[in-house]
Amino acid sequence: MYFVRVNMTDRTYEVTPVLEKYKKFAGRGLTSNLIADEVPPQSHALGPSNKLVFSPGYTTGTSSPTSARISVGGKSPLTGGIKEANAGTSWAADLAVLNIKALIIEGFPKEKGQYWGIAIKWDGKPKIEFFEATQYTGKPLSEVYPAMYEKFGEKVSVCSIGMAAEHGYSNSGVAFNDQSKNATRYAGRGGLGAVMASKGLKFIVLDRAGAPGVEIVDKALFEEGRKKMIDALRTHAITKPKGGLNSYGTAILVNILNEAGGLPTRNFSSGRFEGAPKISGEAIFEKNKERKGKEIYNHACSPGCIIQCSNTVFDEKGEEITSCLEYESAWALGADCGIDNLEDIAKMNALCNDYGLDTIETGVAIAVSMEGGLIPFGDSKAAIELVHEMGKGTAQGRILGAGAATTGRAYGVRRVPVVKGQGMPAYEPRAVKGIGITYATSTMGADHTAGYTICPEILGVMGKQDPLSPEGKAALSRAFQATTAFIDSSGHCLFIAFAILDIASGYQGMIDEVNGVMGFNWTADDIVKVGGEILKVERKFNEAAGISKEADRIPEFMKTEPLPPHNNIFDVSDETLDSVFSEL
């Protein structure tokens, strides 16, 4: 395996063996360690000292199920701290097959406004060619992706940034191709797209032809683990074929969270949305059935995925509006903005994909602007125009593109649902206390994927816990954050957690897969330990960047304003929040 460093100052690169200290890392564990070692914490996120690191997980590029994840790391222009965002895509598997353990983008372009692409192929080792890409800027990604396939062939994988990143937005993601060669798979959160744009890099194209593939140290152990994982995923109610996720996608959570009183509505002013049934996964499924004349089950976002939760929203003519409309996107562009027009929500989702915007931050920023009086809650047509403003880079668009925190300051809004500068996802901390603790204490800013306590608190995975109670939730969040850091390093999708946390053999299967690939002897006890060490590295970077434990707090209004329908506040003490990492 190799490290490939690309210097965008003089457009050179070097391919080197992996240093011994990094051989045990992959995915998030590797991106975070490299950023911590090589990026000055006080540096400007869009300056010459920041770096962008891509790393596939331990099992990525193998036949392991649901493992084609790519971790993208850097210093975030949104939070000012360390960032890892990941996506499922063939690009991840191709990077691993090319024997690239880490692709490190560094340096700073001499020519402002000029963009380049890099094409990586196998020639005894990874080989890079640079190509001029400025002519592809200022255009929706749906227009420029076909040009990459025409230029490099139908079998390549493509990573890119959109117009949001070109504008320097803190709300801009890194886009990857889906299975249909569209730019819809995003490492979306934290503004890492703007970091890539600051390097003058528009495209990274991978051609795996002739590459040797991923070496597996113990093939028998790996195969044993793979079978355990497949069995768990295919039998659990949430992940099995025609189960919850395959039928209704992640948007199945809309009705579930609404019933629980934890669906943030109209800028987190209520936990229930009267329009929830119109934008739910069930509504998407039934409308698709009506418009296509048959039941449409969901598809894989990446090769080897057997959960297959990516849905498609069709219009009245049976033509695709967008794919995929995730729960977070349906909520952010829907309930949080008071919008229940499913087609308009799908249109906004498609625009975010085209412009390179994170749908969560986009929706939260628009909802904050609605509270500030820019447009009324529920006005979907005006909201669509605001997304267009963001794409165009107008003055108004730039305010929204800077994220919810900046939007709140610009419009004098007091009720701004952010932690460490990042907008909150689709779970209300006053109604689901464990996820609120994760939001507050995560190294990534408000991030549900950092420690998904929704598993026990809402879905009953590992046994049902009362979401309204704060008791024991610091320890719960800590365990989930550490375990998640490991899953993010494994290369697996976080959704394997539903099955492996309920089915012990599935959990062991994940460990066996990693041990088989790497030749490790890790046990279940090591998982939280390894994940905890990653969190410590990230925490140390953030502290050096000026993000101390005092930033591990929920916005004040959530501590004082009761949330309907349960009329709870976020009643978790600062001492409890501080204990999450002090006891790690």
Side-chain angles (χ1 to χ4, degrees), residues 256-265 268-273 327 424-437 439 453-454 456-459 464-471 473 476 554 557-559 561-572:
I256 294 173
L257 265 296
N258 198 54
E259 178 63 26
L263 185 71
T265 299
F268 288 72
S269 63
S270 174
R272 284 213 175 118
F273 179 45
Y327 165 62
M424 287 185 180
Y427 307 93
E428 233 297 349
R430 288 168 285 185
V432 192
K433 301 294 172 63
I435 204 69
I437 293 173
Y439 287 173
T453 64
I454 298 304
E457 291 188 286
I458 298 296
L459 299 175
K464 187 71 166 66
Q465 294 200 24
D466 181 4
L468 296 173
S469 171
E471 295 302 317
K473 296 299 174 61
L476 183 71
I554 289 293
F557 77 89
M558 292 184 173
K559 301 177 183 178
E561 295 181 14
L563 177 80
H566 300 299
N567 296 317
N568 271 24
I569 61 171
F570 188 73
D571 55 353
V572 179

Side-chain angles (χ1 to χ4, degrees), residues 300-360:
C301 71
S302 55
C305 176
I306 62 174
I307 297 176
Q308 301 194 359
C309 68
S310 292
N311 61 19
T312 304
V313 180
F314 298 97
D315 64 16
E316 293 180 352
K317 297 179 180 179
E319 297 178 355
E320 180 179 315
I321 303 175
T322 194
S323 179
C324 158
L325 184 62
E326 303 279 10
Y327 165 62
E328 296 292 337
S329 305
W331 160 79
L333 304 168
D336 197 38
C337 295
I339 294 171
D340 63 7
N341 186 313
L342 180 60
E343 286 73 18
D344 283 351
I345 293 169
K347 289 175 185 176
M348 283 189 276
N349 188 78
L351 288 174
C352 287
N353 287 340
D354 252 359
Y355 295 143
L357 293 162
D358 171 31
T359 56
I360 297 176

